Amino acid sequence: MKSRISIALFASFLLAGGLYAQVDTGTILGSVKDTTGAVIPGAQVTLTNTGTGRTQVQKTGASGEYTFSPIQIGHYSVSAQIKGFQRVEHTNVTVQVQQSVVVNFLLPPGEITQTIAVTSEPPLLQTQNASVGQVIGQRSINDLPLNGRNFTFLAQLAAGVTQDQEDTRGLGASGSFAANGLRPSQNNYLLNGVDNNSNLVDFLNGQAFVSKPPVDAIQEFKIQTNNYSAEFGRSAGAILNATIKSGTNQFHGDAWEFLRNDKLDAPNFFENASGTTKGEYRQNQFGFTLGGPIVKNKLFFFGDYQGTRIRQAVPSINTVPTALERSSGFANLSELLTQSGTRNDILGRTFPIGQIFDPSTTRAITCGVPDTVTSITVPCSGISPGTQLGFVREPFAGNLLPADRLDPNAVKLLDLYPAPNNPGLFNNYAADPISRNDTNQFDIRIDDNLSEQDSIFGSISYADNPVLFPAPFPGIADGGSFADGNQHTTSINAVVSETHVFSPTLINVVRAGLSRMSTNRLQPNADTKGIPAQFGIQGVPQVASNGGLGSLFISGLTTLGSNQFLPSIEYTTTLQFTDDVTKHIGRQSLKAGFETQIIRFAIFQPFTSRGAWNFSGSYVGVPDNGGGNTGLAQMLLTPIPGTVPGAFDYVGGADTVQFSNIANTDMYHHYFGTYFQDDYTITPKLTLNLGVRWDYFGQIVERYGAQSNFLPSGSPSSPSEFLMTKKRCNTPLSPDVLAAFKADNVNLVCSSVPGLGKSQLGNFSPRFGFAYQLTNKLVARSGYGIFYGGFENSVLETYNDFPFQF
């Protein structure tokens, strides 16, 4: 939850959207008076969309006021007439998203057949609301430089907005932002009035939104950062509201090609440092838009296509086995002794860093007792005789390993590394693989003026984006991080909206929306079975997407194999339905509505499903005083029985071995919101914005009941509860767990509560604001509101649920 109060003064150039507006629409309002300043009730006001020809007519109220809301953004003419006065027409009125445009009329005496045309634009200063934000228009969208032509970066032009900090998912590179200090995950993205938020558990593909239409397809968008009306809920941060262009009675279109090329660039720092040839860089973005009439004044279309092709070298410096190590079958590791520095063992012996010791000679040293191999006695020096001091082992002369001691599977694995292409023991392999990023996307929008009372529009946005993030090594050697792999993202955002005019003062808008994104990132050879068994690794499930090699962490070398958190497959689907009704009564604009969403999201990201091994060199170095980058020796040497008196048997192998089962989560939850808003124009200079909203954020529910929860008791005498769903309460628990429950006074409870938790029912959000026009160029605004941000929940509570997950 976020409460905030803000008071601000804005000059006439600040654009702030109207609270009369309906999400992706706007408002035209004003008054009709005669030249003496007396109001004229009953005057006929006609609104005409100059692009589509659609007209609306209403009469002024008792105070001479009129309001057209909600109306589609675009260009309009507005006229007023009544018997005994000349007709006056404003011909150059532009309505932006969520903007209230004030158009006042002064009617001179005369005949209706006489028309006065006013061609000047209404002033930009917004005087009807307390909200803080900025409209980014079509000209700014098209003319300002945008890396990757991502319009969401333009949100950072608004006051109080700054770029998101860099993170492991790359959200900052996709335009993620923070507004007024709130976390970026609290922002709310809307497209054509419906939800456009990504609910991927960990933003796997690096963007917080689902669809990103090309800038040529965006009519305009608005960023609201504070004091927005009760119409908006879901989160406590900023609102980024974008609208795709509509067709008009004129055919319009454009085509483009944007090019970037390495022939125009200098080598980057890493390429210069390693002497690597400048890597490839090609970026092409091309496409077109086209819009126009299908039936003049009635049926219109707009469509666009954009293709993106990016090829970019990804330079990296890595460490692989040296030519000498490879040519000796990894028996000659003498080059490790070229490292500077020494290490001492507890017998007082000094060895160079990089010295490899025989793990089969590992033995304990006791003070006052001669060592069984060297006969060196370590004095007790004030400690009790017979105290064990630690361990020692004997070195391999010249770091030459016996060939018959080497594990052939380890040799085969190390042979997967590419040959070095730079000299030295470390940083001896420079890689410059090429990443591929291809996108094909389109948007289609159809608008239909069914009648004077009804209009409808539908739109769909789709994108297909396969990407290769190359690892430093080819094939199953891989060596990549979690950010590397073959990634494929598809996204779709669709909406159908119908507007019904019951009367000029009573309008209803209903919408249904679908937003879906799926992203998968797979390791190389993800669908190739049998690879682990080729290297003596047994028991790895050979199922879809789990192919390839596990992760081998070897000190002194770049990681071998694929990242342990791949494969990662995620998707999110949001179904949305909204209904909003607007009623104009005199100087008041009343609005009420509700929305409901069903949000489903899943993640398939097993932890180490192919295994992970860590070879630090601790079993082949000076005990408790290691180092020396000798992990490959530890990996190579097969554990055997002790070879000297007092030695331990079978010392060696990996420091740690990790392996997990394969599990999936399939989650959903519900969101409901309802609101009432009253925007009251007290005087032409003072407007009050009053509203209240209620939000309900449902519990996360696992579709198949694979959830658990733990409720600690309030007192030591009362039992705690381990909750499982009734659907899965028959899942067997191990005897150890049941014994622990009994010992710790924990009861196993089968629960029918959805999500095994309770949601807050008191999320009421009052909103209050006012705008007062001090002068023609100065407006004072103030506002207060409570905003609930319940969508910053994740499946982490259920992602590791015992006993269903990892």
Side-chain angles (χ1 to χ4, degrees):
M1 186 190 76
K2 175 70 177 178
S3 298
R4 54 178 112 120
I5 303 176
S6 64
I7 300 175
L9 299 178
F10 297 90
S12 62
F13 298 106
L14 179 63
L15 303 178
L19 292 181
Y20 288 95
Q22 180 90 30
V23 185
D24 63 337
T25 55
T27 298
I28 293 178
L29 72 162
S31 61
V32 180
K33 300 179 181 179
D34 63 22
T35 53
T36 68
V39 299
I40 303 179
Q44 177 178 300
V45 182
T46 303
L47 176 71
T48 302
N49 186 314
T50 58
T52 65
R54 181 176 174 82
T55 62
Q56 299 181 50
V57 179
Q58 63 175 260
K59 292 181 182 281
T60 56
S63 300
E65 77 289 332
Y66 74 92
T67 301
F68 291 100
S69 177
I71 59 174
Q72 182 180 349
I73 63 173
H75 302 285
Y76 290 86
S77 66
V78 192
S79 65
Q81 63 185 53
I82 193 171
K83 186 176 181 180
F85 294 88
Q86 298 181 50
R87 179 175 177 272
V88 176
E89 182 178 16
H90 289 261
T91 60
N92 195 14
V93 180
T94 300
V95 178
Q96 297 177 328
V97 63
Q98 295 178 340
Q99 182 186 35
S100 293
V101 180
V102 179
V103 180
N104 294 321
F105 291 88
L106 292 177
L107 302 187
E111 298 296 326
I112 291 180
T113 56
Q114 297 173 290
T115 299
I116 299 174
V118 181
T119 59
S120 60
E121 294 187 7
L124 293 176
L125 187 65
Q126 298 298 293
T127 62
Q128 301 296 308
N129 62 83
S131 69
V132 179
Q134 183 168 347
V135 173
I136 310 296
Q138 187 175 345
R139 181 173 180 181
S140 297
I141 292 173
N142 280 291
D143 292 351
L144 290 174
L146 285 171
N147 186 15
R149 309 184 74 235
N150 181 351
F151 74 92
T152 64
F153 278 100
L154 296 176
Q156 298 172 28
L157 296 176
V161 176
T162 186
Q163 181 180 1
D164 186 12
Q165 64 182 4
E166 293 300 323
D167 59 79
T168 57
R169 294 298 182 266
L171 288 167
S174 68
S176 182
F177 62 92
N180 296 326
L182 284 168
R183 291 184 295 277
S185 54
Q186 283 294 320
N187 296 330
N188 187 10
Y189 294 85
L190 301 174
L191 182 62
N192 290 328
V194 297
D195 189 281
N196 191 37
N197 295 281
S198 169
N199 290 301
L200 293 183
V201 173
D202 59 353
F203 299 112
L204 179 63
N205 69 321
Q207 64 184 45
F209 45 83
V210 173
S211 293
K212 180 189 66 179
V215 294
D216 306 81
I218 298 294
Q219 180 70 27
E220 61 189 29
F221 75 92
K222 181 171 184 179
I223 173 75
Q224 281 185 282
T225 58
N226 216 331
N227 295 340
Y228 36 83
S229 80
E231 174 181 10
F232 297 100
R234 184 190 186 278
S235 55
I239 300 170
L240 195 150
N241 193 350
T243 302
I244 292 177
K245 292 178 180 178
S246 302
T248 65
N249 279 325
Q250 303 294 323
F251 285 98
H252 292 283
D254 58 359
W256 62 88
E257 159 72 18
F258 292 88
L259 167 69
R260 295 178 64 184
N261 194 288
D262 59 83
K263 303 302 182 185
L264 307 175
D265 299 335
N268 67 33
F269 172 83
F270 296 101
E271 289 169 333
N272 279 331
S274 63
T276 304
T277 303
K278 182 174 64 175
E280 178 181 347
Y281 185 77
R282 310 277 194 276
Q283 178 170 324
N284 296 81
Q285 285 183 289
F286 51 90
F288 67 89
T289 68
L290 180 64
I294 300 175
V295 178
K296 190 173 182 180
N297 291 338
K298 185 180 187 302
L299 186 61
F300 309 91
F301 79 93
F302 176 85
D304 66 80
Y305 164 80
Q306 178 171 271
T308 303
R309 306 290 184 267
I310 302 175
R311 301 292 182 268
Q312 183 173 7
V314 184
S316 63
I317 303 297
N318 309 277
T319 300
V320 299
T322 67
L324 174 61
E325 292 168 346
R326 296 175 68 93
S327 64
S328 68
F330 299 100
N332 187 345
L333 306 184
S334 60
E335 289 174 310
L336 291 172
L337 297 172
T338 61
Q339 302 174 75
S340 61
T342 59
R343 289 286 189 271
N344 295 329
D345 67 5
I346 59 175
L347 295 178
R349 299 180 297 176
T350 300
F351 301 97
I353 287 181
Q355 175 64 60
I356 298 171
F357 293 80
D358 186 348
S360 70
T361 64
T362 305
R363 58 199 183 275
I365 297 299
T366 303
C367 75
V369 178
D371 174 35
T372 57
V373 176
T374 64
S375 299
I376 298 175
T377 301
V378 181
C380 291
S381 300
I383 60 177
S384 301
T387 300
Q388 183 174 304
L389 301 177
F391 306 91
V392 295
R393 52 179 65 106
E394 297 305 297
F396 285 111
N399 273 6
L400 300 178
L401 308 184
D404 60 353
R405 294 274 302 275
L406 303 186
D407 183 339
N409 285 314
V411 173
K412 288 174 61 178
L413 286 166
L414 291 171
D415 276 334
L416 293 174
Y417 279 107
N421 54 19
N422 280 330
L425 186 62
F426 304 110
N427 299 325
N428 54 9
Y429 180 76
D432 217 6
I434 305 299
S435 67
R436 300 193 305 269
N437 188 339
D438 296 338
T439 303
N440 291 293
Q441 62 184 104
F442 67 83
D443 306 274
I444 299 174
R445 174 167 172 153
I446 301 294
D447 291 80
D448 191 353
N449 296 329
L450 298 171
S451 66
E452 292 185 0
Q453 287 76 37
D454 291 283
S455 63
I456 189 171
F457 84 83
S459 74
I460 184 170
S461 300
Y462 176 82
D464 182 76
N465 179 211
V467 182
L468 169 63
F469 299 108
F473 304 141
I476 61 174
D478 195 4
S481 67
F482 178 72
D484 298 322
N486 293 288
Q487 179 174 294
H488 194 176
T489 299
T490 57
S491 62
I492 185 170
N493 182 284
V495 58
V496 175
S497 176
E498 196 270 344
T499 300
H500 181 74
V501 180
F502 291 98
S503 72
T505 61
L506 181 62
I507 299 174
N508 187 79
V509 179
V510 61
R511 297 178 195 242
L514 166 68
S515 181
R516 177 178 172 84
M517 173 181 285
S518 65
T519 298
N520 62 69
R521 185 180 298 162
L522 304 178
Q523 68 283 3
N525 302 97
D527 291 318
T528 303
K529 298 180 179 179
I531 289 176
Q534 297 175 18
F535 303 95
I537 302 170
Q538 306 299 325
V540 176
Q542 298 300 287
V543 298
S545 303
N546 199 49
L549 191 62
S551 304
L552 292 99
F553 305 102
I554 308 167
S555 69
L557 298 174
T558 299
T559 300
L560 182 65
S562 298
N563 187 269
Q564 61 194 107
F565 290 99
L566 297 178
S568 186
I569 302 173
E570 305 177 24
Y571 73 83
T572 171
T573 302
T574 299
L575 294 173
Q576 180 179 14
F577 179 83
T578 67
D579 189 78
D580 301 271
V581 60
T582 302
K583 175 66 176 176
H584 306 293
I585 304 175
R587 295 180 177 179
Q588 288 179 275
S589 180
L590 306 177
K591 183 184 293 185
F594 75 92
E595 67 176 304
T596 178
Q597 293 184 14
I598 301 175
I599 303 98
R600 185 177 172 189
F601 45 95
I603 178 171
F604 176 83
Q605 193 181 86
F607 175 77
T608 320
S609 57
R610 293 176 308 283
W613 297 261
N614 180 48
F615 299 95
S616 69
S618 60
Y619 293 143
V620 293
V622 175
D624 300 322
N625 193 11
N629 301 295
T630 56
L632 79 167
Q634 180 175 322
M635 177 179 171
L636 286 162
L637 290 167
T638 303
I640 62 173
T643 57
V644 297
F648 299 101
D649 294 333
Y650 301 105
V651 173
D655 298 86
T656 59
V657 178
Q658 295 175 298
F659 189 77
S660 76
N661 60 315
I662 295 178
N664 191 16
T665 60
D666 194 346
M667 321 298 295
Y668 69 90
H669 61 137
H670 295 272
Y671 166 66
F672 303 102
T674 186
Y675 72 94
F676 175 78
Q677 181 76 26
D678 182 4
D679 298 309
Y680 190 7
T681 303
I682 305 295
T683 70
K685 292 187 175 183
L686 176 63
T687 300
L688 296 182
N689 309 126
L690 309 173
V692 64
R693 183 179 183 88
W694 178 76
D695 289 302
Y696 174 84
F697 303 96
Q699 292 292 300
I700 296 175
V701 179
E702 210 283 326
R703 186 180 179 191
Y704 301 103
Q707 282 181 279
S708 64
N709 200 355
F710 179 72
L711 299 180
S713 66
S715 65
S717 59
S718 301
S720 298
E721 294 182 343
F722 183 79
L723 304 179
M724 296 176 67
T725 64
K726 283 188 175 180
K727 186 183 294 187
R728 298 293 294 272
C729 216
N730 59 349
T731 301
L733 300 176
S734 71
D736 289 342
V737 170
L738 295 176
F741 282 178
K742 184 176 181 180
D744 294 333
N745 196 20
V746 176
N747 290 338
L748 177 62
V749 177
C750 299
S751 174
S752 60
V753 176
L756 304 180
K758 296 181 180 180
S759 293
Q760 295 176 183
L761 299 178
N763 295 342
F764 290 95
S765 308
R767 311 281 173 89
F768 167 79
F770 72 84
Y772 184 75
Q773 186 173 3
L774 296 171
T775 70
N776 290 334
K777 296 183 178 181
L778 188 64
V779 174
R781 312 179 195 275
S782 177
Y784 167 83
I786 296 176
F787 303 80
Y788 288 90
F791 271 77
E792 200 173 341
N793 50 13
S794 72
V795 298
L796 292 180
E797 298 87 350
T798 53
Y799 181 46
N800 293 306
D801 269 358
F802 174 83
F804 305 107
Q805 292 301 311
F806 309 111

